[in-house]
Amino acid sequence: MQDLFNSLGISDNLLNYVLMPLLIFVARIGDVSINTLRIMFMMNGKKNIVPILGFFEAMIWLLAIGQIFQNVNNPLSYIAYAGGFATGTYVGMTLDEKLALGRVLVRVITPQPLPELLEFMKEKNYRFTNVGGEGRFGKVNLLFTVMKREVLKEFIEKVKEVDEKAFYTIESVKRVSEEELNVMEDRVGFRSRFFSRART
């Protein structure tokens, strides 16, 4: 690669102290960002795209580490490598938030039931389970729901609107038994149609 740059009239100083560190920096951003996305897709069970991302991640990493070995006496290469890793981590997390892939499990715990929140969830067609429980200071209400990450922000805003002191936790969900949920919906739909016909 050095011969290629020299043939273009680029001096060794410019190559070693500017271009090479910059290439290493960009390569590290690329492979770390891809690594973050690969883990995200793997957690969501996307088997088809994970190997492709892994291939490009490994290829870019090898190119970056190869340039490090060729410029082992250049301290800027190490700074670029570490800086690219840090920046790539930030970029990967930002992409993860923007894509908002997959589903999350949300638990909401309040001192009393929140009928307004339940009505909101019914209007949005969210699946949920609402049960009573026992807390340190007495009775509490527990609400469980699994939803797409893309609608999580809207839901949390509604929770805070209804009860700003509500306690909630959020966890990533690897897989959801959609088929079972669809069967349950079909059964509910069948029962409602059956009873409506029976009344007529």
Side-chain angles (χ1 to χ4, degrees):
M1 182 176 289
Q2 188 169 359
D3 295 335
L4 174 62
F5 283 113
N6 290 334
S7 66
L8 296 175
I10 298 175
S11 65
D12 289 340
N13 287 335
L14 179 62
L15 177 63
N16 294 329
Y17 295 103
V18 177
L19 294 181
M20 280 303 175
L22 182 60
L23 289 173
I24 293 171
F25 179 78
V26 173
R28 280 264 69 188
I29 293 176
D31 86 270
V32 174
S33 301
I34 292 175
N35 176 62
T36 304
L37 293 176
R38 180 178 60 82
I39 294 174
M40 179 186 68
F41 282 116
M42 185 169 60
M43 293 296 294
N44 287 283
K46 306 293 185 182
K47 297 180 180 179
N48 295 330
I49 194 171
V50 169
I52 299 174
L53 292 176
F55 173 83
F56 285 104
E57 175 192 347
M59 181 66 70
I60 295 173
W61 182 84
L62 286 173
L63 292 174
I65 203 67
Q67 293 305 313
I68 286 284
F69 286 139
Q70 291 181 19
N71 298 272
V72 69
N73 294 323
N74 185 359
L76 289 179
S77 297
Y78 299 100
I79 296 174
Y81 187 89
F85 181 88
T87 307
T89 302
Y90 177 80
V91 171
M93 293 177 65
T94 303
L95 290 174
D96 183 22
E97 293 176 356
K98 295 296 183 181
L99 292 174
L101 298 176
R103 289 178 170 81
V104 291
L105 167 65
V106 184
R107 302 183 186 90
V108 181
I109 303 175
T110 56
Q112 64 276 332
L114 302 175
E116 182 180 347
L117 181 61
L118 298 182
E119 287 301 320
F120 170 80
M121 298 179 72
K122 290 177 182 177
E123 291 176 1
K124 295 293 184 177
N125 200 28
Y126 295 158
R127 303 181 179 102
F128 65 89
T129 301
N130 191 51
V131 297
E134 184 76 22
R136 180 181 177 184
F137 301 106
K139 301 293 184 180
V140 294
N141 186 77
L142 288 84
L143 177 65
F144 300 87
T145 182
V146 175
M147 63 179 58
K148 294 182 178 180
R149 288 182 58 191
E150 60 189 27
V151 299
L152 176 61
K153 182 179 180 181
E154 178 188 18
F155 176 72
I156 295 301
E157 288 177 351
K158 185 63 179 181
V159 170
K160 292 180 179 179
E161 176 186 331
V162 176
D163 186 353
E164 60 181 10
K165 295 183 178 180
F167 176 80
Y168 61 87
T169 61
I170 303 170
E171 297 178 17
S172 296
V173 176
K174 182 176 182 180
R175 183 171 300 174
V176 177
S177 55
E178 290 287 356
E179 293 182 359
E180 293 297 325
L181 290 173
N182 290 335
V183 169
M184 291 172 63
E185 289 181 346
D186 291 341
R187 289 174 179 172
V188 172
F190 172 77
R191 289 173 182 171
S192 62
R193 290 192 300 269
F194 175 79
F195 285 114
S196 62
R197 290 177 182 175
R199 284 194 294 269
T200 59

